[in-house]
Amino acid sequence: MKYLHLVQWSPRESFGGYETIVRETALTQQKRHSTVYVVGRRVGRNRSIDSVSVSGVTYVEVSHPMRRRPSSLDVGIIGIVMLFVEIFVSLWLLTPVVWRIIRRERIDAVIFYGIHLMLMGPIVRLGGTLALLGLEVLQKNQEVGRMSFLYWFRRLKYACFNGIFTYTYYFYLDNRKYNNIALLKTYAPRIPVAYIPWGIDVKATSSVKSDQSLVSWKKKTSSVIILCPRRLVEEKGVRYLLEAVPMIRKKIPGAYVVFAGDGILRREMENRAKELGVASCVRFTGFMSHEKTLQMMKASDMIVVPSSGEESFGMVFLEAYALGVPIVSTWFGGIPNVVEQHKTGLLVAVKRPDELADSVIRIVKNMREREQYIAAGKELVSAKFTIEKTTDTIDRFVRTLQKA
């Protein structure tokens, strides 16, 4: 098989969830004897096209001086204008590059991540290559009428592709369960839709070593380390974990909460920690690489993922399973697809610091329950969520579409 992963911004040196998914998927496909390209933009002083090989995967990066639109930008007139300008520039820069590669290399399938480059779908198909929309989840405006603009926009969007796949079968919003597959088929009735659970390299993740500085600090202070490996933005719910810290400290005086990430809420949260009187037991690391985050997870006593906005899947949970770290998270979005309540972790209501605190205390106080979650998590990730299973399923989906 020959694949091209198409992203608006190159994931080679970025460490978000989507970027990690693209990198790990491309690498595993290459190891399993596929030819793999990853195409995207990057910020540079001048316009240029660079090709970089990383472990056999070819990254083709188009540099341009225009900077990336802030992901935290409010959706207003300015935000919408900036979004459309960014999309137009991306299409202008990336379309000729993708066209040359699919024609020269006879690519079997181009996998699109997100809708920003959807207009390239028909062009890819014109070149005889399959265009697939990956990881699609309808967490906003799920059900709209046929008379709405959004309904017909989605129909048009999905018509640009030969097939759609998602890693989220169902998700929860406002105490309601939604079937993501059924929603997608509502707007793409004639387009194949596949559920492909995503996975990780379990062996490689399990072999990650603990962050030694954190281990030494734990031994020196006899601390309980609670790690929150999330960006400090509103939708990640990090402020609710911060509000839970005083309640946690009342029951566990040695508890320390580490926010392993950066974002626009950092200064506000630092000030709030002082107001709550917990600044001495809360640490903000700032931006961290994916590898460093895994090392800190390995050294921690648990991770807390208090998401309250968008959370369609959560690779961090699979990593926690492989590393043997218990989980506290929220009953929100696609998280229950991955974290099984009272079996592999604890899930609480969104925006409830008291419930977060209670679950953290419960795991710390109950060693037997903690070990049960760890064992069940390791079993689940090895049985269902391996990157090898993911890439095999993608291959089967592509072959089915090729025969159609």
Side-chain angles (χ1 to χ4, degrees):
M1 285 285 185
K2 294 184 177 182
Y3 288 100
L4 188 152
H5 296 265
L6 180 59
V7 289
Q8 192 170 12
W9 295 94
S10 176
R12 184 170 62 91
E13 296 178 340
S14 299
F15 300 97
Y18 267 93
E19 291 87 351
T20 301
I21 284 174
V22 175
R23 284 197 313 274
E24 294 301 316
T25 304
L27 178 60
T28 303
Q29 288 175 328
Q30 191 280 329
K31 288 179 178 178
R32 296 170 83 81
H33 310 295
S34 290
T35 300
V36 187
Y37 288 83
V38 179
V39 178
R41 288 176 57 189
R42 65 178 302 169
V43 178
R45 291 185 178 181
N46 302 299
R47 183 183 175 188
S48 64
I49 301 175
D50 302 300
S51 181
V52 181
S53 179
V54 180
S55 301
V57 177
T58 302
Y59 287 81
V60 180
E61 299 171 333
V62 182
S63 297
H64 189 272
M66 180 179 173
R67 292 194 170 276
R68 186 172 186 170
R69 179 183 65 93
S71 60
S72 58
L73 190 67
D74 290 337
V75 181
I77 294 178
I78 295 177
I80 292 173
V81 170
M82 290 181 68
L83 173 62
F84 277 97
V85 170
E86 184 177 86
I87 291 173
F88 174 80
V89 173
S90 296
L91 288 169
W92 170 58
L93 293 172
L94 298 178
T95 301
V97 175
V98 171
W99 179 258
R100 285 195 295 269
I101 294 174
I102 65 174
R103 297 293 288 171
R104 183 184 72 233
E105 300 295 332
R106 298 180 181 272
I107 299 294
D108 290 293
V110 174
I111 300 177
F112 291 69
Y113 295 88
I115 68 167
H116 301 92
L117 303 177
M118 70 177 197
L119 294 178
M120 209 186 299
I123 298 174
V124 167
R125 297 173 68 177
L126 187 64
T129 297
L130 293 174
L132 307 181
L133 178 60
L135 313 184
E136 182 72 352
V137 183
L138 292 177
Q139 284 198 43
K140 293 183 177 179
N141 302 308
Q142 297 82 18
E143 299 164 330
V144 295
R146 287 176 175 265
M147 299 302 292
S148 72
F149 167 79
L150 184 57
Y151 176 88
W152 292 104
F153 173 77
R154 285 175 174 165
R155 291 290 298 263
L156 174 64
K157 174 179 71 173
Y158 295 143
C160 293
F161 301 98
N162 298 96
I164 303 166
F165 63 84
T166 179
Y167 54 7
T168 301
Y169 199 94
Y170 62 89
F171 58 88
Y172 288 83
L173 290 175
D174 300 323
N175 297 317
R176 181 179 173 185
K177 184 177 180 179
Y178 292 89
N179 186 316
N180 188 51
I181 301 296
L183 287 171
L184 289 172
K185 289 183 176 180
T186 299
Y187 303 105
R190 295 183 177 86
I191 300 169
V193 178
Y195 168 56
I196 304 179
W198 226 254
I200 62 171
D201 186 332
V202 176
K203 183 178 180 180
T205 305
S206 301
S207 65
V208 168
K209 303 298 182 183
S210 297
D211 181 84
Q212 288 306 305
S213 61
L214 192 56
V215 171
S216 299
W217 187 56
K218 281 177 62 178
K219 290 181 179 179
K220 183 179 179 180
T221 60
S222 300
S223 302
V224 174
I225 305 300
I226 301 158
L227 186 73
C228 180
R230 302 278 84 183
R231 289 183 296 119
L232 304 184
V233 294
E234 193 65 45
E235 61 266 26
K236 297 303 181 182
V238 288
R239 65 168 76 247
Y240 304 106
L241 175 57
L242 180 60
E243 296 294 327
V245 174
M247 292 177 270
I248 295 171
R249 291 276 295 184
K250 283 182 179 180
K251 298 291 185 178
I252 311 171
Y256 283 80
V257 177
V258 179
F259 290 93
D262 210 348
I264 59 173
L265 294 181
R266 178 171 178 175
R267 180 170 295 181
E268 177 186 334
M269 291 179 65
E270 288 175 336
N271 291 334
R272 181 58 178 160
K274 294 176 183 177
E275 293 174 358
L276 292 170
V278 296
S280 62
C281 57
V282 173
R283 176 183 170 192
F284 297 91
T285 67
F287 171 79
M288 295 178 61
S289 70
H290 182 237
E291 183 67 21
K292 182 68 172 177
T293 302
L294 291 179
Q295 291 171 0
M296 292 195 70
M297 286 173 61
K298 180 74 171 183
S300 301
D301 294 285
M302 75 179 71
I303 66 165
V304 178
V305 180
S307 299
S308 60
E310 292 187 32
E311 195 70 71
S312 55
F313 186 74
M315 297 293 287
V316 68
F317 303 118
L318 307 184
E319 293 165 343
Y321 290 154
L323 293 168
V325 182
I327 296 165
V328 172
S329 190
T330 51
W331 197 277
F332 179 81
I335 294 172
N337 287 272
V338 190
V339 181
E340 298 181 9
Q341 177 73 314
H342 299 303
K343 183 177 180 181
T344 65
L346 293 178
L347 300 177
V348 305
V350 297
K351 303 180 181 181
R352 290 294 302 271
D354 57 330
E355 293 190 15
L356 286 171
D358 289 344
S359 293
V360 168
I361 294 165
R362 174 175 172 173
I363 287 180
V364 173
K365 297 286 188 180
N366 193 329
M367 185 59 68
R368 182 178 179 181
E369 184 176 5
R370 167 193 168 90
E371 293 303 319
Q372 288 174 344
Y373 293 157
I374 291 173
K378 287 184 176 181
E379 181 180 348
L380 179 64
V381 72
S382 297
K384 186 177 179 180
F385 294 108
T386 69
I387 192 63
E388 293 80 11
K389 290 181 182 292
T390 299
T391 54
D392 285 347
T393 308
I394 292 173
D395 285 347
R396 290 195 296 271
F397 187 45
V398 169
R399 290 192 184 99
T400 300
L401 294 175
Q402 288 174 331
K403 293 176 182 178

